[in-house]
Amino acid sequence: MNFQDRDQNHLWHPYTQHKTAAAAIAIVRGKGALLWDENGKEYIDAIASWWVNPFGHSNTIIADAIYKQLTTLEHVLFGGFTHVPAILLAEKLLKMLPSNQNKVFFSDNGSTAVEVAIKVALQYFYNKNEKRTTIIAFENAFHGDTFAAMAASGISFYTQAFQGMFIDVVRIPVPVKGQEQESFAALENVIKNHKCAAFIFEPLVQGAAGMVMYGAESLDKLIEICKENNVITIADEVMTGFGKTGKNFACDYIQNQPDIFCLSKALTGGTIPMAITTFTQSIFDEFYSDDINKALFHGHTFTANPTGCAAALASLDLLATEEMQENIVRVNKKHLAFQKHIEHHSKVKTTRVLGVIFALEIKTESNESYYGNLRNKLYNFFIENGIILRPVGNIVYILTPYVITDNQLDKVYKTIENALAIA
Ligand SMILES: *Cc1c(COP(=O)(O)O)cnc(C)c1O
């Protein structure tokens, strides 16, 4: 029996209806932007394995850093103890983030990074004896699959079985072009009518919604409204962080500084699951007290795993290299050229590009659902052609490792163009 068949005996995959889904493809090896399955078939990983892998698969620089850490100190509990990689990583990361960020809290994945951010925002006001329990979030947001993160998420596909069991979240429209004033007004209205603790957002790009993009000035305005009303602002940079938008962080495009940052995905270069939530000093100070009950009673067993920290340190070094910064610019330029080439195609409704992110919306008769027929047809077409792309409804997006070669990228573009013919 091959691995593909053996998988079906015991494995339960994410976001998968096992009765109707095709068997999972067994990948046995990866290098750069390429993956190979058990039959030797080659795939271009055009979505960086769910947006985690900027520097290529099986990157030996990160692998060496991990090996060195594993054979020095693989793990130690983070309650009552600390270690060098965590300290170095916190120092390095805070130098990259906006100057108001000063405290670093570790967890394991994007959802927990968000969970920590929301719990801190709620407890911040609890500690102050101020009743504020509403979280503001965008329509069609995605912040993860744990309960608070799910509550903040607006894509019903992921949350509909759990409606009525959530913390209090009020949604506002995304300030996409032409809808800015509506979004500002909605935020002001929500703040006026609810006891709001925090506003959580994916800055500039809503990944899971299909790379929906909005302007930096609009985000600045929304944060300004929150600041005027002492509403905590949470930038969920789990997807956008570490170069995806062309800058280290999407929030590098704005003037106002959010109070909290959520980071994961590319943090360790796609090697070890790890997440970080960072905070301003003034948020931390509200937990700093002689009263034990004011402490943050949240933690995970593998908090600040030294091996993950070592991988993150190596990744941040790689990101800062001239070679990687040039790769980001190169991929962006190629996306812009492809956009120009494809935007007037009869099947194309809109296109958008930011940094290494490209998205194309296909014209359809009806509203295509998230995992609908068109989506499945496109997905299968890409897989047959050796390209890993996961369209969202009628939206096809590219978010490759930065190290993808020009030839590989051209093959991705060509295959998308061919796919339009069957759409
Ligand atoms: C993927 C994602 C998450 C959740 O991260 P996980 O590691 O899958 O838990 C949260 N927020 C955003 C913006 C994401 O893209």
Side-chain angles (χ1 to χ4, degrees):
M1 226 199 260
N2 62 14
F3 288 110
Q4 182 159 47
D5 293 333
R6 281 166 65 182
D7 171 275
Q8 294 188 297
N9 291 336
H10 302 297
L11 280 303
W12 191 343
H13 287 266
Y15 310 122
T16 301
Q17 173 47 269
H18 279 278
K19 186 163 184 190
T20 53
I25 296 163
I27 297 295
V28 293
R29 198 161 63 85
K31 195 74 204 170
L34 297 177
L35 295 164
W36 289 271
D37 73 13
E38 62 182 328
N39 303 313
K41 181 171 174 179
E42 182 179 291
Y43 300 84
I44 298 174
D45 185 358
I47 55 166
S49 283
W50 271 340
W51 324 335
V52 299
N53 192 312
F55 315 120
H57 290 282
S58 310
N59 183 294
T60 52
I61 293 173
I62 304 175
D64 287 344
I66 289 172
Y67 180 80
K68 204 167 145 211
Q69 189 57 48
L70 276 176
T71 47
T72 306
L73 172 68
E74 85 301 342
H75 184 67
V76 62
L77 71 166
F78 211 56
F81 294 87
T82 191
H83 53 77
V84 179
I87 295 164
L88 295 182
L89 178 56
E91 289 172 353
K92 199 179 190 98
L93 193 59
L94 289 176
K95 281 204 191 96
M96 295 168 67
L97 285 165
S99 59
N100 69 339
Q101 296 301 296
N102 203 36
K103 290 285 170 184
V104 171
F105 192 94
F106 283 92
S107 64
D108 303 340
N109 56 67
S111 303
T112 56
V114 167
E115 207 75 20
V116 169
I118 290 175
K119 283 177 73 175
V120 164
L122 293 172
Q123 192 182 336
Y124 170 86
F125 289 108
Y126 174 86
N127 283 359
K128 278 164 82 85
N129 244 330
E130 199 175 327
K131 194 184 152 29
R132 290 202 193 211
T133 53
T134 298
I135 303 294
I136 308 160
F138 278 138
E139 286 163 3
N140 286 321
F142 182 77
H143 296 292
D145 292 337
T146 55
F147 253 81
M150 198 169 42
S153 296
I155 301 172
S156 62
F157 224 94
Y158 296 101
T159 62
Q160 70 193 24
F162 311 101
Q163 291 302 327
M165 306 175 208
F166 290 139
I167 56 165
D168 184 22
V169 173
V170 180
R171 253 165 249 298
I172 63 168
V174 184
V176 290
K177 223 179 169 82
Q179 202 177 259
E180 295 93 338
Q181 296 308 322
E182 204 181 322
S183 177
F184 306 155
L187 179 62
E188 276 170 344
N189 207 35
V190 170
I191 291 174
K192 201 182 294 163
N193 293 306
H194 299 263
K195 303 257 180 247
C196 294
F199 168 42
I200 184 165
F201 50 88
E202 295 158 272
L204 307 193
V205 189
Q206 292 187 296
M211 302 297 160
V212 171
M213 298 181 187
Y214 61 95
E217 312 81 58
S218 298
L219 182 55
D220 255 326
K221 175 73 184 166
L222 292 170
I223 294 175
E224 190 184 309
I225 294 169
C226 288
K227 287 196 184 285
E228 282 162 8
N229 292 281
N230 294 320
V231 172
I232 290 174
T233 46
I234 304 170
D236 178 354
E237 293 240 18
V238 169
M239 189 283 284
T240 49
F242 308 106
K244 310 252 180 63
T245 63
K247 299 198 181 209
N248 283 343
F249 301 103
C251 287
D252 291 341
Y253 285 93
I254 62 175
Q255 307 300 318
N256 282 316
Q257 300 184 333
D259 301 301
I260 300 177
F261 280 79
C262 304
L263 306 167
S264 187
K265 291 210 165 110
L267 171 64
T268 62
T271 56
I272 293 181
M274 170 168 268
I276 286 179
T277 314
T278 68
F279 302 93
T280 59
Q281 183 67 37
S282 69
I283 289 179
F284 177 81
D285 286 345
E286 212 51 58
F287 292 71
Y288 190 79
S289 162
D290 292 320
D291 181 357
I292 177 105
N293 291 311
K294 289 201 167 175
L296 177 63
F297 280 96
H298 185 105
H300 299 278
T301 312
F302 277 97
T303 294
N305 172 252
T307 313
C309 291
L313 281 164
S315 292
L316 293 184
D317 282 345
L318 275 172
L319 178 63
T321 59
E322 209 171 302
E323 182 195 342
M324 220 46 80
Q325 292 299 318
E326 281 169 10
N327 276 331
I328 292 171
V329 173
R330 175 179 59 87
V331 171
N332 175 255
K333 280 195 180 139
K334 282 189 70 77
H335 280 350
L336 291 171
F338 178 58
Q339 178 179 43
K340 219 171 186 163
H341 169 75
I342 206 79
E343 65 189 347
H344 298 299
H345 189 289
S346 62
K347 291 274 181 68
V348 173
K349 191 170 153 201
T350 57
T351 57
R352 40 190 181 262
V353 174
L354 184 67
V356 302
I357 305 167
F358 171 93
L360 174 158
E361 238 172 284
I362 296 173
K363 267 187 206 155
T364 52
E365 314 275 283
S366 56
N367 246 356
E368 273 301 320
S369 88
Y370 212 81
Y371 282 103
N373 284 336
L374 174 63
R375 183 265 175 205
N376 292 339
K377 204 159 102 180
L378 291 166
Y379 177 80
N380 294 336
F381 179 82
F382 294 134
I383 290 295
E384 277 163 28
N385 285 280
I387 312 278
I388 302 176
L389 286 168
R390 286 176 66 96
V392 173
N394 63 328
I395 300 166
V396 177
Y397 71 83
I398 309 171
L399 202 175
T400 66
Y402 308 161
V403 296
I404 190 167
T405 66
D406 285 351
N407 280 344
Q408 290 164 348
L409 207 42
D410 288 338
K411 185 173 174 201
V412 175
Y413 296 146
K414 190 78 210 147
T415 310
I416 290 177
E417 193 167 354
N418 291 343
L420 292 176
I422 64 148

